[in-house]
């Protein structure tokens, strides 16, 4: 038998024979001091499915130093039987003996303790300390070992759970090797810097006051977070490609989280937003990362704002129209959509002040697209028009700005019916009537604005100015001059520089030059 020990086929025949013929194999071989007989006996008992006895003799054969693999075979049997103490003993012997299996034993000690800890709900402190110590022992002896990345990842996660974000981020940064572990570590490193940044923003002293000088360099934290997120996003496709099925999905979803976090950081300072980067990051986000649905409001707003700033108006209008269509009839989204519309209308007014016609018309169109959502709600009776007079007035003004006068007139009429004293709606109707040279209705509507708008409102001055213009069209130049002069005498500032400039030009043309 000894002569066949290293012959795979011959050894199998010998073990089969020894298993079949001895009536009592333990009695025949077990009392021998010969390591070979113990090794043979262990194999015979295993073939007879007597695993407990096989493990005992594997361990005894290994103890001789001649059959070190015996400890591993014994450990496998004990692990199957969940005899963890015996497994630990075998692993300790393997690790202590050195050799090719030492690293495996050190890793298995870590993995076993961690598995038991997770199996018990991650609550057993003794097991947590055990796997932490085993992991550190492995790293001390095998800093670049096959399992070093996995162990560093687990230990960094432990630091993160305990809110030791900076230490965790640094340890995550040391993870190398396996693409899946490396990608995950890069993302988690960024996540830790991000959370440390949030914690620094809410930091308070013992008395509950925010310290004048932060204890951490927030600019450095933000840079570290952004750098790591950029790297994680870049690494994700390769990591996803090389990972098995379930891991692919996880990596894809983590990439979605990384993109959202990076966009959130880029959006922190409105004056310094990198709009091209934000637009690029968030293109097609909702379709690619449905698991992030609770963040879609922020994503849509950031992307739309970025595209608007970049002047990519067709893309903005496409996104807004899609958003309105998806939420048609859903009143739960009204605050979000109203906020978008207000932003577009403010951008339109700013562009108008700057004499930027292209931007003005584009943002007016976007306002109309956005606020069509509220017109639909009103038409369906889900929100009464009287509760939407301000919003619908802006909608109608946006329609008017984009040349949709008939539609604007219909909306203004609805608003005035619900609120006869609405200055915005009456002004809208007055402008339409004036454009149609319907002087009687124009005077009526502008007078309604004059009687209802506050004197601090530019509409009040616009109403008086336009009444004067209509008087001229009706041939009543003295009435127009009287209106202009009386208003200037009572309100010399005329509301705004822009209005004062228009007022001066009209008054000079009609009244002062005319007198000469």
């Amino acid at each position: 038998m000894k002569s066949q020990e290293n012959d795979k086929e011959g050894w199998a025949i010998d073990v089969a024979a020894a298993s079949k013929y001895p009536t009592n194999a333990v009695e025949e071989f077990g009392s021998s001091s010969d390591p070979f007989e113990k090794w043979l006996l262990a194999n015979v008992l295993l073939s007879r499915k007597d695993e407990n006895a096989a493990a005992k003799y594997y361990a005894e054969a290994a103890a001789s130093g001649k059959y070190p693999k015996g400890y591993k075979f014994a450990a496998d049997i004990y692990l199957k039987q969940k005899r963890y103490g015996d497994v630990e003993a075998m692993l300790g012997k393997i690790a202590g003996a050195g050799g090719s299996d030492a690293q495996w034993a050190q890793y298995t000690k870590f993995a076993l303790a961690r598995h038991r800890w997770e199996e018990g709900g991650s609550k057993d402190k003794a097991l947590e300390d055990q796997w932490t110590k085993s992991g550190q022992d492995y790293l001390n002896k095998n800093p670049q070992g096959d399992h070093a990345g996995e162990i560093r990842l687990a230990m960094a996660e432990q630091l993160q759970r305990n809110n030791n974000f900076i230490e965790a981020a640094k340890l995550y940064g040391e993870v190398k090797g396996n693409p899946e572990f490396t990608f995950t570590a890069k993302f988690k490193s960024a996540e830790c810097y991000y959370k440390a940044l949030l914690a620094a923003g809410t930091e308070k002293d013992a008395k509950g006051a925010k310290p004048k000088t932060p204890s951490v360099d927030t600019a450095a934290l933000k840079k570290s977070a952004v750098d790591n997120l950029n790297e994680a996003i870049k690494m994700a496709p390769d990591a996803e490609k090389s990972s098995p099925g379930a891991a692919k999905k996880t990596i894809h979803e983590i990439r979605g989280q990384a993109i959202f976090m990076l966009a959130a950081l880029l959006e922190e300072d409105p004056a310094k937003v990198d709009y091209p980067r934000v637009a690029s990051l968030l293109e097609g986000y909702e379709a690619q990362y449905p698991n992030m649905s609770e963040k879609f409001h922020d994503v849509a707003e950031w992307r739309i704002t970025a595209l608007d700033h970049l002047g990519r108006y067709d893309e903005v209008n496409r996104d807004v129209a899609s958003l309105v269509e998806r939420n048609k009839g859903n009143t739960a989204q009204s605050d979000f959509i109203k906020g978008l519309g207000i932003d577009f209308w403010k951008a339109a007014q700013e562009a108008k002040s700057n004499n930027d016609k292209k931007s003005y018309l584009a943002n007016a169109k976007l306002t109309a697209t956005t606020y069509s959502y509220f017109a639909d709600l009103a038409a369906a009776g889900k929100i009464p028009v009287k509760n939407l007079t301000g919003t619908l007035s802006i909608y109608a003004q946006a329609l008017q700005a984009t040349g949709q006068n008939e539609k604007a007139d219909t909306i203004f009429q609805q608003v005035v019916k619900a609120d006869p004293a609405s200055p915005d709606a009456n002004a809208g109707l007055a402008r339409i009537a004036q454009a149609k040279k319907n002087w009687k209705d124009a005077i009526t509507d502008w007078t309604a604005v004059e009687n209802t708008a506050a004197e601090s409102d530019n509409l009040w001055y616009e109403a008086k100015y336009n009444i004067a213009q209509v008087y001229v069209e009706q041939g009543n130049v003295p009435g127009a001059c009287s209106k202009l002069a009386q208003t200037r005498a009572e309100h010399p500032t005329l509301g705004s520089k822009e209005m004062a400039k228009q007022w001066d030009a009209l008054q000079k043309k009609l009244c002062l030059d005319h007198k000469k």
Side-chain angles (χ1 to χ4, degrees):
M1 286 184 175
K2 283 185 178 180
S3 66
Q4 299 296 315
E5 184 177 2
N6 296 317
D7 180 274
K8 187 175 181 181
E9 187 176 346
W11 179 245
I13 293 171
D14 286 344
V15 171
S19 175
K20 181 177 180 180
Y21 293 111
T23 305
N24 190 328
V26 172
E27 191 175 281
E28 184 162 342
F29 300 114
S31 59
S32 172
S33 59
D34 183 355
F36 173 78
E37 293 193 38
K38 293 186 183 296
W39 180 249
L40 174 63
L41 176 57
N43 281 275
V44 167
L45 292 171
L46 185 63
S47 72
R48 290 181 172 183
K49 304 189 184 307
D50 187 353
E51 292 185 339
N52 284 334
K56 174 179 181 295
Y57 289 105
Y58 272 131
E60 289 186 11
S64 71
K66 185 177 178 182
Y67 299 97
K69 290 283 185 186
Y71 286 134
K72 191 171 183 180
F73 294 152
D76 286 340
I77 292 170
Y78 291 143
L79 183 59
K80 183 179 177 182
Q81 297 174 342
K82 296 188 177 183
R83 292 167 58 180
Y84 298 121
D86 291 327
V87 176
E88 285 285 336
M90 295 299 102
L91 294 174
K93 290 180 182 296
I94 297 169
S100 60
D101 287 331
Q103 187 180 149
W104 170 85
Q106 289 160 350
Y107 167 72
T108 305
K109 286 178 71 174
F110 156 82
L112 176 59
R114 191 160 193 270
H115 173 73
R116 292 172 62 199
W117 174 72
E118 289 177 335
E119 205 173 39
S122 305
K123 296 176 181 178
D124 190 320
K125 186 66 170 62
L127 281 173
E128 184 177 17
D129 291 343
Q130 187 177 338
W131 72 252
T132 302
K133 182 180 182 305
S134 297
Q136 194 58 60
D137 287 345
Y138 179 97
L139 293 177
N140 289 340
K141 294 174 182 176
N142 310 281
Q144 305 303 323
D146 294 340
H147 303 283
E150 178 186 350
I151 292 173
R152 284 194 178 97
L153 191 62
M155 295 181 75
E157 287 173 342
Q158 183 189 44
L159 289 169
Q160 185 177 353
R161 278 191 298 274
N162 294 327
N163 297 331
N164 295 324
F165 298 124
I166 303 298
E167 294 85 348
K170 290 176 180 176
L171 189 54
Y172 280 130
E174 295 177 14
V175 175
K176 299 288 186 294
N178 180 296
E180 181 185 345
F181 288 148
T182 308
F183 163 75
T184 303
K186 188 62 68 176
F187 167 73
K188 286 183 172 290
S189 182
E191 185 179 40
C192 283
Y193 284 125
Y194 182 78
K195 289 184 176 180
L197 189 62
L198 294 180
T202 58
E203 189 179 31
K204 294 181 180 180
D205 62 20
K207 295 181 180 179
K210 197 168 182 180
K212 293 180 180 178
T213 305
S215 59
V216 294
D217 185 344
T218 53
L221 283 177
K222 182 174 180 179
K223 184 179 184 308
S224 295
V226 168
D227 289 348
N228 278 273
L229 285 168
N230 273 318
E231 288 184 50
I233 291 166
K234 187 177 179 181
M235 292 164 62
D238 286 342
E240 188 175 342
K241 186 177 179 181
S242 62
S243 298
K248 284 183 189 295
K249 181 181 178 184
T250 301
I251 290 171
H252 183 76
E253 291 179 349
I254 289 175
R255 186 172 191 260
Q257 294 175 46
I259 289 173
F260 178 83
M261 287 169 62
L262 179 55
L265 287 171
L266 294 174
E267 287 282 334
E268 271 190 346
D269 186 349
K272 298 179 181 178
V273 177
D274 183 350
Y275 289 116
R277 178 65 171 144
V278 171
S280 173
L281 276 172
L282 300 180
E283 184 176 359
Y285 186 90
E286 293 91 335
Q288 292 183 64
Y289 306 105
N291 61 301
M292 294 292 288
S293 58
E294 64 181 29
K295 304 294 185 183
F296 282 176
H297 275 182
D298 291 331
V299 167
E301 186 172 5
W302 294 340
R303 183 180 59 246
I304 287 168
T305 302
L307 292 171
D308 193 31
H309 275 82
L310 294 171
R312 291 160 60 178
Y313 300 120
D314 288 344
E315 293 174 67
V316 182
N317 203 58
R318 176 203 64 200
D319 275 7
V320 171
S322 175
L323 179 71
V324 169
E325 184 60 31
R326 280 199 312 272
N327 292 289
K328 195 171 184 178
N330 181 9
T331 56
Q333 305 302 319
S334 58
D335 287 344
F336 170 62
I337 294 176
K338 183 177 286 187
L340 279 179
I342 288 172
D343 288 342
F344 290 137
W345 190 238
K346 284 180 179 176
Q349 299 310 301
E350 186 178 345
K352 187 177 182 182
S353 298
N354 295 330
N355 203 28
D356 182 351
K357 272 189 175 181
K358 180 182 177 182
S359 182
Y360 169 65
L361 289 173
N363 279 286
K365 181 180 179 182
L366 291 170
T367 305
T369 300
T370 307
Y371 277 175
S372 65
Y373 163 86
F374 292 100
D376 290 340
L377 287 177
K382 292 194 173 184
I383 300 181
V385 173
K386 65 179 181 180
N387 294 345
L388 290 170
T389 54
T391 301
L392 291 177
S393 291
I394 292 175
Y395 173 51
Q397 289 177 69
L399 290 170
Q400 197 172 21
T402 54
Q404 301 178 70
N405 289 324
E406 294 303 319
K407 198 170 182 180
D409 184 77
T410 301
I411 300 298
F412 281 134
Q413 294 286 1
Q414 289 176 1
V415 174
V416 168
K417 185 177 179 181
D419 179 13
S422 170
D424 289 324
N426 279 303
L429 291 172
R431 292 188 194 101
I432 292 172
Q434 200 168 344
K436 291 180 176 180
K437 298 185 179 183
N438 185 344
W439 310 126
K440 181 181 177 182
D441 285 350
I443 287 288
T444 300
D445 293 331
W446 280 124
T447 301
V449 176
E450 184 182 28
N451 292 336
T452 57
E455 291 184 12
S456 58
D457 189 339
N458 284 332
L459 267 183
W460 190 73
Y461 294 96
E462 186 182 345
K464 289 179 175 293
Y465 175 83
N466 280 288
I467 288 171
Q469 282 196 315
V470 174
Y471 281 165
V472 174
E473 296 293 345
Q474 292 177 321
N476 184 7
V477 174
C481 289
S482 175
K483 189 82 173 175
L484 294 170
Q486 183 180 353
T487 304
R488 179 185 285 278
E490 294 173 355
H491 305 276
T493 64
L494 298 173
S496 68
K497 290 181 180 179
E498 291 78 12
M499 178 53 71
K501 188 176 179 181
Q502 293 180 52
W503 206 283
D504 286 344
L506 184 61
Q507 195 171 21
K508 183 179 179 182
K509 176 183 175 183
L510 294 180
C511 311
L512 302 180
D513 289 348
H514 183 70
K515 285 180 181 179
K516 291 179 181 179

